[in-house]
Amino acid sequence: MKIREGFAKRNIAGSEIVVPVGKNALQFNGMITLNETGAFIWDCLKSETTKQEIVNSLLEEYNVEEQKASADVDKFLALLSENGLLEA
């Protein structure tokens, strides 16, 4: 899975924001503000990856338990999926 084309993460006034670009700007009304972990997971999803690879990356980057990292990834992926931001 990976982020669908047409969405970009931008740093605006110190905040990480996901915005639609191109034709997606006409179809997606809004933006998503990411916390540090969300921005990290977003970056992992720039290229094809799996949930387990994202969890492993979180474990390497942060001092977090695997169960918590896995739950956070599930929650974030569900948000992206619900909003049509993920490629299958």
Side-chain angles (χ1 to χ4, degrees):
M1 80 190 109
K2 70 179 199 171
I3 296 296
R4 198 176 93 202
E5 285 190 41
F7 294 92
K9 182 182 74 158
R10 302 282 188 249
N11 187 298
I12 301 172
S15 296
E16 297 292 338
I17 308 290
V18 173
V19 295
V21 294
K23 68 178 180 175
N24 284 327
L26 300 173
Q27 300 168 347
F28 185 86
N29 296 322
M31 63 182 177
I32 299 172
T33 303
L34 302 174
N35 63 16
E36 181 181 346
T37 305
F40 182 86
I41 296 170
W42 180 274
D43 289 341
C44 290
L45 289 163
K46 286 182 186 177
S47 58
E48 189 66 34
T49 191
T50 66
K51 176 193 167 192
Q52 191 58 52
E53 289 171 332
I54 297 169
V55 170
N56 291 342
S57 294
L58 281 171
L59 295 174
E60 289 176 16
E61 186 70 20
Y62 298 100
N63 182 20
V64 62
E65 293 179 18
E66 185 169 1
Q67 182 178 357
K68 172 71 170 141
S70 182
D72 287 349
V73 170
D74 283 339
K75 190 179 202 180
F76 190 71
L77 293 176
L79 172 72
L80 293 180
S81 182
E82 289 170 12
N83 287 285
L85 277 70
L86 285 181
E87 288 183 3

Coordinates of all heavy atoms in Angstrom, one line a residue:
M1 N 0.8 -1.2 0.0 CA 0.0 0.0 0.0 C 0.9 1.2 0.0 O 2.0 1.2 0.4 CB -0.9 0.0 1.2 CG -0.3 0.4 2.5 SD -1.3 0.1 3.9 CE -0.4 -1.2 4.6
K2 N 0.3 2.3 -0.5 CA 1.0 3.6 -0.5 C 0.0 4.7 -0.6 O -1.2 4.5 -0.9 CB 2.1 3.7 -1.5 CG 1.7 3.7 -2.9 CD 2.9 3.8 -3.9 CE 2.4 4.4 -5.2 NZ 3.6 4.7 -6.1
I3 N 0.5 5.9 -0.4 CA -0.4 7.1 -0.6 C -0.7 7.3 -2.1 O 0.1 7.1 -3.0 CB 0.4 8.4 -0.1 CG1 0.7 8.3 1.4 CG2 -0.4 9.7 -0.5 CD1 -0.5 8.3 2.3
R4 N -2.0 7.5 -2.3 CA -2.5 7.7 -3.6 C -1.9 9.0 -4.2 O -1.7 10.0 -3.5 CB -4.0 7.8 -3.6 CG -4.7 7.7 -4.9 CD -6.2 7.7 -4.8 NE -6.6 9.1 -5.0 CZ -7.7 9.6 -4.6 NH1 -8.6 8.9 -3.9 NH2 -8.0 10.8 -4.8
E5 N -1.6 9.0 -5.5 CA -1.1 10.3 -6.1 C -2.2 11.4 -6.0 O -3.4 11.1 -5.9 CB -0.9 10.0 -7.6 CG 0.4 9.2 -7.8 CD 0.8 9.2 -9.3 OE1 0.7 10.2 -10.0 OE2 1.1 8.1 -9.8
G6 N -1.7 12.6 -5.9 CA -2.6 13.7 -5.8 C -2.7 14.3 -4.4 O -3.5 15.2 -4.2
F7 N -1.9 13.8 -3.5 CA -1.9 14.4 -2.1 C -0.4 14.6 -1.7 O 0.5 13.8 -2.1 CB -2.5 13.4 -1.2 CG -4.0 13.3 -1.4 CD1 -4.5 12.3 -2.2 CD2 -4.9 14.2 -0.9 CE1 -5.8 12.1 -2.5 CE2 -6.3 14.0 -1.1 CZ -6.7 13.0 -2.0
A8 N -0.2 15.7 -1.1 CA 1.2 16.1 -0.7 C 1.2 16.6 0.8 O 0.2 17.2 1.3 CB 1.7 17.2 -1.6
K9 N 2.3 16.3 1.5 CA 2.5 16.8 2.8 C 3.3 18.0 2.7 O 4.4 18.1 2.0 CB 3.2 15.7 3.7 CG 3.4 16.1 5.1 CD 4.2 15.1 5.9 CE 5.6 15.1 5.4 NZ 6.6 14.6 6.3
R10 N 2.9 19.1 3.4 CA 3.6 20.3 3.4 C 3.7 20.8 4.8 O 2.9 20.6 5.7 CB 2.8 21.4 2.6 CG 2.5 21.0 1.2 CD 3.7 21.3 0.3 NE 3.4 21.1 -1.1 CZ 3.8 20.1 -1.8 NH1 4.6 19.2 -1.3 NH2 3.5 20.1 -3.1
N11 N 4.8 21.5 5.1 CA 5.1 22.1 6.3 C 4.6 23.6 6.2 O 5.2 24.3 5.5 CB 6.5 22.0 6.8 CG 6.7 22.5 8.2 OD1 6.5 23.7 8.5 ND2 7.2 21.6 9.0
I12 N 3.6 23.9 7.0 CA 3.0 25.2 6.9 C 3.0 25.8 8.3 O 2.4 25.3 9.2 CB 1.6 25.2 6.3 CG1 1.6 24.7 4.9 CG2 1.0 26.6 6.4 CD1 0.2 24.4 4.3
A13 N 3.8 26.8 8.5 CA 3.9 27.5 9.8 C 4.3 26.5 10.9 O 3.7 26.5 12.0 CB 2.6 28.3 10.2
G14 N 5.1 25.5 10.6 CA 5.6 24.6 11.6 C 4.7 23.4 11.8 O 4.9 22.5 12.6
S15 N 3.6 23.3 11.1 CA 2.6 22.2 11.1 C 2.7 21.3 9.9 O 2.8 21.9 8.8 CB 1.2 22.6 11.3 OG 1.1 23.3 12.6
E16 N 2.6 20.0 10.0 CA 2.6 19.1 8.8 C 1.2 19.0 8.4 O 0.3 18.5 9.1 CB 3.2 17.8 9.2 CG 4.7 17.8 9.6 CD 5.6 18.2 8.5 OE1 5.3 18.1 7.3 OE2 6.7 18.7 8.8
I17 N 0.9 19.4 7.2 CA -0.5 19.4 6.6 C -0.5 18.6 5.3 O 0.4 18.7 4.5 CB -0.9 20.8 6.3 CG1 -0.7 21.8 7.4 CG2 -2.3 20.9 5.7 CD1 -1.6 21.6 8.6
V18 N -1.5 17.7 5.2 CA -1.7 17.0 3.9 C -2.8 17.8 3.1 O -3.8 18.1 3.6 CB -2.2 15.6 4.2 CG1 -2.6 14.9 2.9 CG2 -1.2 14.8 4.9
V19 N -2.4 18.1 1.9 CA -3.3 18.9 1.0 C -3.5 18.1 -0.3 O -2.6 17.4 -0.8 CB -2.8 20.3 0.7 CG1 -2.8 21.1 2.0 CG2 -1.4 20.3 0.1
P20 N -4.6 18.3 -0.9 CA -4.8 17.7 -2.3 C -4.1 18.6 -3.3 O -4.1 19.8 -3.1 CB -6.3 17.7 -2.4 CG -6.8 18.8 -1.6 CD -5.9 18.9 -0.4
V21 N -3.6 18.0 -4.3 CA -3.0 18.7 -5.4 C -3.6 18.3 -6.8 O -4.2 17.2 -6.9 CB -1.5 18.6 -5.5 CG1 -0.8 19.2 -4.2 CG2 -1.1 17.1 -5.5
G22 N -3.5 19.1 -7.8 CA -4.1 18.8 -9.1 C -5.6 18.6 -9.0 O -6.3 19.3 -8.3
K23 N -6.1 17.6 -9.8 CA -7.5 17.4 -9.8 C -8.1 17.0 -8.5 O -9.3 17.2 -8.3 CB -7.9 16.4 -10.9 CG -7.4 15.0 -10.6 CD -7.8 14.0 -11.7 CE -7.3 12.6 -11.3 NZ -7.7 11.6 -12.3
N24 N -7.3 16.5 -7.6 CA -7.8 16.1 -6.3 C -8.3 17.3 -5.5 O -9.1 17.2 -4.6 CB -6.8 15.3 -5.5 CG -6.7 13.8 -6.0 OD1 -7.7 13.3 -6.5 ND2 -5.5 13.3 -6.0
A25 N -7.7 18.4 -5.8 CA -8.1 19.7 -5.1 C -9.6 20.0 -5.3 O -10.3 20.6 -4.5 CB -7.3 20.8 -5.5
L26 N -10.1 19.5 -6.5 CA -11.6 19.7 -6.8 C -12.4 18.7 -6.1 O -13.6 19.0 -5.8 CB -11.8 19.7 -8.3 CG -11.0 20.7 -9.1 CD1 -11.2 20.4 -10.6 CD2 -11.5 22.1 -8.8
Q27 N -11.9 17.5 -5.8 CA -12.7 16.4 -5.2 C -12.6 16.3 -3.7 O -13.5 15.8 -3.1 CB -12.3 15.1 -5.9 CG -12.5 15.1 -7.4 CD -11.8 13.9 -8.1 OE1 -11.0 13.3 -7.5 NE2 -12.1 13.7 -9.3
F28 N -11.5 16.7 -3.2 CA -11.2 16.5 -1.7 C -11.3 17.9 -1.1 O -10.4 18.7 -1.3 CB -9.9 15.9 -1.5 CG -9.6 15.5 -0.1 CD1 -10.0 14.3 0.5 CD2 -8.9 16.4 0.8 CE1 -9.7 14.0 1.8 CE2 -8.6 16.1 2.1 CZ -9.0 14.9 2.6
N29 N -12.3 18.1 -0.3 CA -12.5 19.4 0.4 C -11.9 19.3 1.8 O -12.5 18.6 2.6 CB -14.0 19.8 0.5 CG -14.6 20.0 -0.9 OD1 -13.9 20.5 -1.8 ND2 -15.8 19.6 -1.1
G30 N -10.8 19.9 2.0 CA -10.2 20.0 3.3 C -8.8 19.7 3.3 O -8.1 19.7 2.3
M31 N -8.3 19.5 4.5 CA -6.8 19.1 4.7 C -6.8 18.3 6.0 O -7.7 18.3 6.8 CB -6.0 20.4 4.8 CG -6.3 21.3 5.9 SD -5.3 22.7 5.9 CE -5.9 23.6 7.3
I32 N -5.6 17.7 6.1 CA -5.4 16.8 7.3 C -4.1 17.3 8.0 O -3.1 17.5 7.3 CB -5.2 15.3 6.9 CG1 -6.5 14.8 6.2 CG2 -4.9 14.5 8.1 CD1 -6.4 13.4 5.6
T33 N -4.3 17.6 9.3 CA -3.1 18.0 10.0 C -2.5 16.8 10.7 O -3.2 16.0 11.3 CB -3.5 19.1 11.1 OG1 -4.1 20.2 10.5 CG2 -2.3 19.5 11.9
L34 N -1.2 16.6 10.5 CA -0.5 15.4 11.1 C 0.3 15.8 12.3 O 1.0 16.8 12.3 CB 0.4 14.8 10.0 CG -0.2 14.4 8.7 CD1 0.9 14.0 7.7 CD2 -1.2 13.3 8.9
N35 N 0.3 14.9 13.3 CA 1.2 15.0 14.4 C 2.5 14.4 14.0 O 2.7 13.9 12.8 CB 0.7 14.4 15.7 CG 0.4 12.9 15.6 OD1 0.9 12.2 14.7 ND2 -0.3 12.4 16.5
E36 N 3.5 14.4 14.8 CA 4.8 13.9 14.5 C 4.8 12.4 14.0 O 5.4 12.0 13.0 CB 5.8 14.0 15.6 CG 7.2 13.5 15.3 CD 8.1 13.6 16.5 OE1 7.8 14.3 17.5 OE2 9.2 13.0 16.5
T37 N 4.0 11.6 14.7 CA 3.9 10.2 14.3 C 3.2 10.0 13.0 O 3.6 9.2 12.1 CB 3.2 9.4 15.4 OG1 3.9 9.6 16.7 CG2 3.2 7.9 15.1
G38 N 2.1 10.8 12.8 CA 1.4 10.7 11.5 C 2.2 11.1 10.4 O 2.2 10.5 9.3
A39 N 3.0 12.2 10.6 CA 4.0 12.6 9.5 C 5.0 11.5 9.2 O 5.3 11.3 8.0 CB 4.6 13.9 9.9
F40 N 5.5 10.9 10.2 CA 6.4 9.8 10.0 C 5.8 8.6 9.2 O 6.4 8.1 8.2 CB 6.9 9.3 11.4 CG 8.0 8.2 11.3 CD1 9.3 8.5 11.1 CD2 7.6 6.9 11.3 CE1 10.3 7.5 11.0 CE2 8.6 5.9 11.2 CZ 9.9 6.2 11.0
I41 N 4.6 8.2 9.6 CA 3.9 7.2 8.9 C 3.6 7.6 7.5 O 3.8 6.8 6.5 CB 2.6 6.7 9.6 CG1 3.0 6.1 11.0 CG2 1.8 5.7 8.8 CD1 1.8 5.9 11.9
W42 N 3.2 8.8 7.3 CA 2.9 9.4 5.9 C 4.2 9.2 5.0 O 4.1 8.7 3.9 CB 2.5 10.8 6.0 CG 2.2 11.4 4.6 CD1 3.1 12.0 3.8 CD2 1.0 11.5 4.0 NE1 2.5 12.4 2.6 CE2 1.2 12.1 2.7 CE3 -0.3 11.1 4.3 CZ2 0.1 12.4 1.9 CZ3 -1.4 11.3 3.4 CH2 -1.1 12.0 2.2
D43 N 5.3 9.6 5.6 CA 6.6 9.4 4.8 C 6.9 8.0 4.5 O 7.4 7.7 3.4 CB 7.7 10.1 5.6 CG 7.6 11.6 5.6 OD1 6.9 12.2 4.8 OD2 8.3 12.2 6.5
C44 N 6.5 7.1 5.4 CA 6.7 5.6 5.1 C 5.9 5.2 3.9 O 6.2 4.3 3.2 CB 6.4 4.8 6.3 SG 7.5 4.9 7.7
L45 N 4.7 5.8 3.8 CA 3.7 5.5 2.7 C 4.0 6.1 1.4 O 3.2 6.0 0.5 CB 2.3 5.8 3.2 CG 1.8 4.9 4.3 CD1 0.6 5.5 5.0 CD2 1.4 3.5 3.8
K46 N 5.1 6.9 1.3 CA 5.4 7.5 0.0 C 5.7 6.5 -1.1 O 5.5 6.7 -2.3 CB 6.6 8.5 0.1 CG 6.2 9.7 0.8 CD 7.5 10.6 0.9 CE 7.2 11.9 1.7 NZ 8.5 12.7 1.7
S47 N 6.2 5.3 -0.6 CA 6.5 4.2 -1.5 C 5.8 3.0 -1.0 O 5.4 2.9 0.1 CB 8.0 4.0 -1.7 OG 8.6 3.7 -0.4
E48 N 5.7 2.0 -1.9 CA 5.0 0.8 -1.5 C 5.5 0.2 -0.3 O 6.8 0.0 -0.1 CB 5.1 -0.2 -2.7 CG 4.2 -1.4 -2.6 CD 2.7 -1.1 -2.6 OE1 2.3 -0.2 -3.3 OE2 2.0 -1.8 -1.9
T49 N 4.7 -0.2 0.7 CA 5.1 -0.7 2.0 C 4.0 -1.6 2.6 O 2.9 -1.6 2.0 CB 5.5 0.4 2.9 OG1 6.2 -0.2 4.1 CG2 4.3 1.2 3.4
T50 N 4.3 -2.2 3.6 CA 3.3 -3.0 4.3 C 3.1 -2.5 5.7 O 4.0 -1.7 6.2 CB 3.8 -4.5 4.5 OG1 4.9 -4.5 5.4 CG2 4.1 -5.1 3.2
K51 N 2.1 -2.9 6.4 CA 1.8 -2.4 7.8 C 3.0 -2.8 8.7 O 3.5 -2.0 9.5 CB 0.5 -3.0 8.3 CG 0.3 -2.7 9.7 CD -0.8 -3.5 10.4 CE -0.8 -3.3 11.9 NZ -1.6 -4.2 12.6
Q52 N 3.5 -4.1 8.5 CA 4.5 -4.5 9.4 C 5.8 -3.7 9.2 O 6.5 -3.4 10.1 CB 4.8 -6.0 9.2 CG 5.7 -6.6 10.3 CD 5.2 -6.4 11.7 OE1 4.1 -6.8 12.0 NE2 6.0 -5.9 12.6
E53 N 6.1 -3.3 7.9 CA 7.3 -2.5 7.7 C 7.2 -1.1 8.4 O 8.1 -0.6 8.9 CB 7.5 -2.4 6.2 CG 8.0 -3.6 5.5 CD 8.0 -3.6 4.0 OE1 7.2 -2.8 3.4 OE2 8.8 -4.3 3.4
I54 N 6.0 -0.6 8.3 CA 5.7 0.7 9.0 C 5.9 0.5 10.5 O 6.6 1.3 11.2 CB 4.3 1.3 8.7 CG1 4.2 1.5 7.2 CG2 4.1 2.5 9.5 CD1 2.8 1.8 6.7
V55 N 5.3 -0.5 11.1 CA 5.5 -0.8 12.5 C 7.0 -0.9 12.9 O 7.5 -0.3 13.8 CB 4.7 -2.0 12.9 CG1 5.0 -2.4 14.4 CG2 3.2 -1.8 12.8
N56 N 7.7 -1.7 12.1 CA 9.1 -1.9 12.3 C 9.9 -0.6 12.3 O 10.8 -0.3 13.1 CB 9.7 -2.9 11.3 CG 9.2 -4.3 11.6 OD1 8.7 -4.6 12.6 ND2 9.4 -5.1 10.5
S57 N 9.5 0.3 11.3 CA 10.2 1.6 11.2 C 9.9 2.5 12.5 O 10.8 3.2 13.0 CB 9.7 2.4 10.0 OG 10.1 1.7 8.8
L58 N 8.6 2.4 13.0 CA 8.3 3.1 14.2 C 9.1 2.6 15.4 O 9.5 3.4 16.2 CB 6.8 3.0 14.5 CG 5.8 3.9 13.7 CD1 4.4 3.5 13.9 CD2 6.0 5.3 14.0
L59 N 9.2 1.3 15.5 CA 10.0 0.7 16.6 C 11.5 1.2 16.5 O 12.1 1.4 17.6 CB 9.9 -0.8 16.5 CG 8.5 -1.4 16.8 CD1 8.5 -2.9 16.6 CD2 8.0 -1.0 18.2
E60 N 12.0 1.3 15.3 CA 13.4 1.8 15.2 C 13.6 3.2 15.5 O 14.6 3.7 16.1 CB 13.9 1.5 13.8 CG 14.1 0.1 13.4 CD 14.5 -0.1 12.0 OE1 14.9 0.8 11.3 OE2 14.4 -1.3 11.5
E61 N 12.5 4.0 15.2 CA 12.6 5.5 15.3 C 12.2 6.0 16.7 O 12.8 7.0 17.2 CB 11.7 6.2 14.3 CG 11.8 7.7 14.2 CD 13.1 8.2 13.7 OE1 13.8 7.4 13.0 OE2 13.4 9.4 14.0
Y62 N 11.2 5.3 17.3 CA 10.7 5.8 18.6 C 10.8 4.8 19.7 O 10.8 3.6 19.4 CB 9.2 6.2 18.4 CG 9.0 7.3 17.4 CD1 8.6 7.0 16.1 CD2 9.2 8.6 17.8 CE1 8.4 8.1 15.2 CE2 8.9 9.7 16.9 CZ 8.6 9.4 15.6 OH 8.4 10.4 14.7
N63 N 10.7 5.2 20.9 CA 10.7 4.3 22.1 C 9.3 4.0 22.4 O 8.6 4.6 23.2 CB 11.4 5.0 23.3 CG 11.5 4.1 24.5 OD1 11.4 2.9 24.4 ND2 11.6 4.7 25.7
V64 N 8.8 2.9 21.7 CA 7.4 2.6 21.8 C 7.2 1.1 21.8 O 8.1 0.4 21.2 CB 6.5 3.2 20.6 CG1 7.0 2.7 19.3 CG2 5.1 3.0 20.8
E65 N 6.2 0.6 22.4 CA 6.0 -0.9 22.4 C 5.3 -1.3 21.1 O 4.6 -0.5 20.5 CB 5.1 -1.3 23.6 CG 5.7 -1.1 24.9 CD 4.7 -1.5 26.1 OE1 3.8 -2.2 25.8 OE2 5.0 -1.0 27.2
E66 N 5.6 -2.5 20.7 CA 5.1 -3.0 19.4 C 3.6 -2.9 19.3 O 3.0 -2.5 18.3 CB 5.6 -4.4 19.0 CG 5.2 -4.8 17.7 CD 5.9 -6.1 17.2 OE1 6.7 -6.6 17.9 OE2 5.6 -6.5 16.0
Q67 N 2.9 -3.3 20.4 CA 1.4 -3.3 20.4 C 0.9 -1.9 20.2 O -0.1 -1.7 19.4 CB 0.9 -3.9 21.7 CG -0.6 -4.0 21.8 CD -1.0 -4.6 23.1 OE1 -0.2 -5.0 23.9 NE2 -2.3 -4.7 23.3
K68 N 1.5 -0.9 20.8 CA 1.1 0.5 20.7 C 1.3 1.0 19.3 O 0.5 1.6 18.7 CB 1.8 1.4 21.7 CG 1.6 2.8 21.6 CD 0.2 3.3 21.9 CE 0.1 4.8 22.0 NZ -1.1 5.3 21.4
A69 N 2.5 0.7 18.7 CA 2.9 1.1 17.4 C 1.9 0.5 16.4 O 1.4 1.2 15.5 CB 4.3 0.7 17.0
S70 N 1.6 -0.8 16.5 CA 0.6 -1.5 15.6 C -0.7 -0.9 15.7 O -1.4 -0.6 14.7 CB 0.6 -3.0 16.0 OG -0.3 -3.6 15.1
A71 N -1.2 -0.6 16.9 CA -2.5 0.1 17.1 C -2.6 1.4 16.4 O -3.5 1.8 15.8 CB -2.9 0.1 18.5
D72 N -1.5 2.2 16.6 CA -1.4 3.6 16.0 C -1.4 3.5 14.5 O -2.1 4.3 13.8 CB -0.2 4.3 16.5 CG -0.3 4.8 17.9 OD1 -1.4 4.7 18.5 OD2 0.8 5.2 18.5
V73 N -0.7 2.5 13.9 CA -0.7 2.3 12.5 C -2.0 2.0 12.0 O -2.5 2.5 11.0 CB 0.4 1.3 12.0 CG1 0.3 1.0 10.6 CG2 1.8 1.9 12.4
D74 N -2.7 1.0 12.6 CA -4.0 0.6 12.2 C -5.0 1.8 12.2 O -5.7 2.0 11.2 CB -4.6 -0.4 13.2 CG -4.0 -1.8 13.0 OD1 -3.5 -2.1 11.9 OD2 -4.1 -2.6 13.9
K75 N -4.9 2.6 13.2 CA -5.8 3.8 13.3 C -5.5 4.8 12.2 O -6.5 5.3 11.6 CB -5.6 4.5 14.7 CG -6.5 5.5 15.1 CD -6.1 6.0 16.5 CE -7.3 6.7 17.2 NZ -6.9 7.2 18.5
F76 N -4.3 5.1 11.9 CA -3.9 6.0 10.9 C -4.2 5.5 9.5 O -4.8 6.2 8.7 CB -2.4 6.3 11.0 CG -2.0 7.5 10.1 CD1 -2.3 8.8 10.5 CD2 -1.2 7.3 9.0 CE1 -2.0 9.8 9.7 CE2 -0.8 8.3 8.2 CZ -1.2 9.6 8.5
L77 N -4.0 4.2 9.3 CA -4.3 3.6 8.0 C -5.8 3.7 7.7 O -6.3 3.9 6.6 CB -3.8 2.2 7.8 CG -2.3 2.1 7.8 CD1 -1.9 0.6 7.8 CD2 -1.7 2.8 6.6
A78 N -6.6 3.4 8.8 CA -8.1 3.5 8.7 C -8.5 4.9 8.3 O -9.4 5.1 7.4 CB -8.7 3.0 10.0
L79 N -7.9 5.9 8.9 CA -8.2 7.3 8.6 C -7.9 7.6 7.1 O -8.8 8.2 6.4 CB -7.5 8.2 9.5 CG -7.6 9.7 9.2 CD1 -9.0 10.3 9.5 CD2 -6.5 10.5 9.9
L80 N -6.8 7.2 6.7 CA -6.4 7.4 5.3 C -7.3 6.7 4.3 O -7.7 7.2 3.3 CB -4.9 7.0 5.1 CG -3.9 7.8 5.8 CD1 -2.5 7.2 5.4 CD2 -3.9 9.3 5.4
S81 N -7.6 5.5 4.6 CA -8.5 4.7 3.8 C -9.9 5.3 3.7 O -10.5 5.4 2.6 CB -8.6 3.2 4.3 OG -9.3 2.4 3.5
E82 N -10.5 5.7 4.8 CA -11.8 6.3 4.9 C -11.9 7.5 4.0 O -12.9 7.8 3.5 CB -12.2 6.6 6.3 CG -12.5 5.4 7.2 CD -12.6 5.8 8.7 OE1 -12.7 7.0 9.0 OE2 -12.6 4.9 9.5
N83 N -10.8 8.2 3.9 CA -10.7 9.5 3.1 C -10.2 9.3 1.7 O -10.0 10.2 1.0 CB -9.9 10.5 3.9 CG -10.6 11.0 5.1 OD1 -11.6 11.8 4.9 ND2 -10.3 10.6 6.3
G84 N -10.0 8.0 1.3 CA -9.5 7.7 -0.1 C -8.1 8.1 -0.4 O -7.8 8.4 -1.6
L85 N -7.3 8.1 0.6 CA -5.9 8.6 0.3 C -4.9 7.4 0.1 O -3.7 7.7 -0.2 CB -5.4 9.4 1.5 CG -5.8 10.9 1.5 CD1 -7.3 11.1 1.7 CD2 -5.0 11.7 2.5
L86 N -5.4 6.2 0.2 CA -4.5 5.0 0.0 C -4.8 4.3 -1.3 O -5.9 4.1 -1.7 CB -4.6 4.0 1.1 CG -4.0 4.3 2.5 CD1 -4.3 3.2 3.5 CD2 -2.6 4.6 2.4
E87 N -3.7 3.9 -2.0 CA -3.8 3.0 -3.1 C -3.9 1.6 -2.5 O -3.3 1.3 -1.5 CB -2.6 3.0 -4.0 CG -2.5 4.3 -4.8 CD -1.3 4.3 -5.8 OE1 -0.6 3.3 -5.8 OE2 -1.1 5.3 -6.4
A88 N -4.6 0.7 -3.2 CA -4.8 -0.7 -2.6 C -3.5 -1.4 -2.8 O -2.7 -1.2 -3.5 CB -5.9 -1.4 -3.4

